Amino acid sequence: MKVVVAIIKPFKLTDVHDALHAIGVHGLTVYEAKGHGHQKGHSEIYRSVEYVAHYLSKLRVEVIVADERVDKVVATISTAARTGQTGDGKIFIQAIEKVVRIRNGEADEAAL
């Protein structure tokens, strides 16, 4: 099992959610995040004063999937989250040692 972690632009969440649902992925976790990559923030004007926002608002989306579904999930997220502009985000894949469903004790694949 793997956890696929995607850092995406907030307005792309609905697209990503709908695309994952369409391929049969029904569970995901979303966190609000702030950060920057190559774009290094941007400047804004608030009440006639310009300031630099070093950290941009992003969302961190986590999906746990079986190993054989990782490539499909990554491709789906990439397509749904892509705008073609700087700051579209990144996807990370990490191994999961064990999953246990709290409600009934099911483990691993059965718990997904």
Side-chain angles (χ1 to χ4, degrees), residues 27-107:
L28 58 90
T29 304
V30 179
Y31 303 92
E32 290 184 9
K34 289 194 175 280
H36 72 79
H38 291 288
Q39 79 272 27
K40 298 186 176 62
H42 59 90
S43 61
E44 292 186 3
I45 297 176
Y46 179 72
R47 294 189 178 186
S48 301
V49 177
E50 184 176 5
Y51 71 96
V52 177
H54 293 288
Y55 301 105
L56 303 174
S57 292
K58 302 287 184 176
L59 293 178
R60 176 184 169 121
V61 179
E62 293 183 359
V63 181
I64 299 175
V65 295
D67 291 348
E68 61 271 5
R69 299 202 64 202
V70 170
D71 291 336
K72 180 70 174 170
V73 168
V74 169
T76 300
I77 293 171
S78 293
T79 301
R82 182 175 295 125
T83 66
Q85 299 174 350
T86 302
D88 274 351
K90 294 220 180 352
I91 298 175
F92 306 96
I93 302 161
Q94 302 168 324
I96 296 292
E97 202 170 302
K98 186 167 187 76
V99 175
V100 176
R101 185 185 312 268
I102 294 172
R103 177 175 49 91
N104 57 15
E106 291 176 333

Side-chain angles (χ1 to χ4, degrees), residues 2-23:
K2 304 278 193 237
V3 61
V4 178
V5 178
I7 308 298
I8 64 170
K9 292 182 175 184
F11 68 89
K12 295 303 282 183
L13 179 61
T14 301
D15 295 340
V16 170
H17 174 267
D18 293 346
L20 288 172
H21 187 76
I23 65 166

